[in-house]
Amino acid sequence: MELNSSNLINMSQIQNQKDFSKIKTDDLENEQLRKVSNDFEAFFLKKIMDSSLKSVNVAGEAPGSDIIKGMYTDNISKTATGSLGISDMLYDFLSKNNR
């Protein structure tokens, strides 16, 4: 069998693909703005937890316990994103004032 461009490319698949010029940029901007707002809330919550748990031995006193405590606070802050409402307030503020 000879390989050439006509038998390597299925033209019907190309014609059925989504036209990327029709994607609304507002939707992409809103998704990116929501992600940034959520990331900020996670960062803010992690800083609060790091500060408040500074003198607490969550992971014991063994070598590497600071790393485990950091991983713990990082996971909790990412999981709790959206629960404080900071990301929603930031998203609303930025979406209204950024247009």
Side-chain angles (χ1 to χ4, degrees):
M1 177 176 167
E2 181 181 328
L3 295 177
N4 58 39
S5 61
S6 64
N7 62 8
L8 288 177
I9 299 173
N10 185 350
M11 294 307 287
S12 64
Q13 287 179 346
I14 292 175
Q15 292 168 350
N16 291 335
Q17 287 182 349
K18 189 174 190 176
D19 183 12
F20 291 111
S21 64
K22 294 179 182 178
I23 295 176
K24 294 182 180 178
T25 56
D26 288 341
D27 292 341
L28 293 176
E29 289 175 2
N30 287 337
E31 287 177 19
Q32 291 171 344
L33 188 59
R34 176 59 72 184
K35 182 181 178 334
V36 168
S37 300
N38 288 339
D39 289 346
F40 176 78
E41 183 175 350
F43 171 78
F44 183 73
L45 185 57
K46 179 166 174 40
K47 289 299 177 185
I48 289 173
M49 290 181 65
D50 286 343
S51 175
S52 64
L53 296 175
K54 192 172 192 173
S55 62
V56 178
N57 293 326
V58 175
E61 296 180 9
S65 62
D66 290 339
I67 295 171
I68 294 170
K69 186 192 297 187
M71 290 171 27
Y72 172 74
T73 57
D74 189 45
N75 191 20
I76 294 294
S77 65
K78 287 180 181 177
T79 304
T81 297
S83 62
L84 295 178
I86 294 172
S87 65
D88 292 334
M89 288 189 300
L90 184 62
Y91 175 80
D92 290 339
F93 176 79
L94 292 175
S95 62
K96 289 177 186 173
N97 294 323
N98 200 22
R99 304 246 176 228

